[in-house]
Amino acid sequence: MVELVRSGRTPEELSREFEPTAQSIANWVRQADRDAGKRSDGATTAEREELIRLRRENQRLRQERDILSKAAAWFARESKANPNGFSGS
């Protein structure tokens, strides 16, 4: 679709012929231009993918931090309850 628009066809005529909305086709063209470095008004596909990956990694690291924090608090309580280091198990 992007190549068809670049060759002179309008998103509106392609929309009538192929079903996606003209707005979707125009969005694809803009994103392809960003990816090619022709536009700088938004993130490239690679930047978006990296952002998604970093957000997932950040979420995983927060979960790990929370688990470790809870474990440390639990061990601190256990060591106060059993000053000799014996858990009684």
Side-chain angles (χ1 to χ4, degrees):
M1 291 288 177
V2 172
E3 292 304 318
L4 291 172
V5 171
R6 288 181 177 160
S7 71
R9 305 218 21 218
T10 67
E12 291 74 19
E13 59 180 281
L14 292 170
S15 170
R16 286 189 295 274
E17 186 175 340
F18 294 105
E19 298 293 322
T21 66
Q23 183 62 52
S24 292
I25 296 169
N27 290 343
W28 297 339
V29 172
R30 276 194 301 280
Q31 188 62 48
D33 287 345
R34 285 183 195 111
D35 292 346
K38 295 178 184 177
R39 294 179 71 117
S40 61
D41 61 342
T44 65
T45 300
E47 290 169 335
R48 286 179 181 205
E49 289 170 356
E50 181 181 18
L51 184 58
I52 290 168
R53 182 188 63 76
L54 290 171
R55 284 180 175 160
R56 282 187 189 137
E57 182 180 350
N58 199 12
Q59 180 182 14
R60 182 182 54 80
L61 291 171
R62 282 188 181 127
Q63 289 172 344
E64 290 175 2
R65 180 203 59 204
D66 292 345
I67 290 168
L68 289 172
S69 177
K70 289 175 184 176
W74 184 85
F75 281 114
R77 282 192 309 272
E78 281 294 308
S79 67
K80 288 179 184 176
N82 299 307
N84 294 332
F86 296 108
S87 65
S89 305

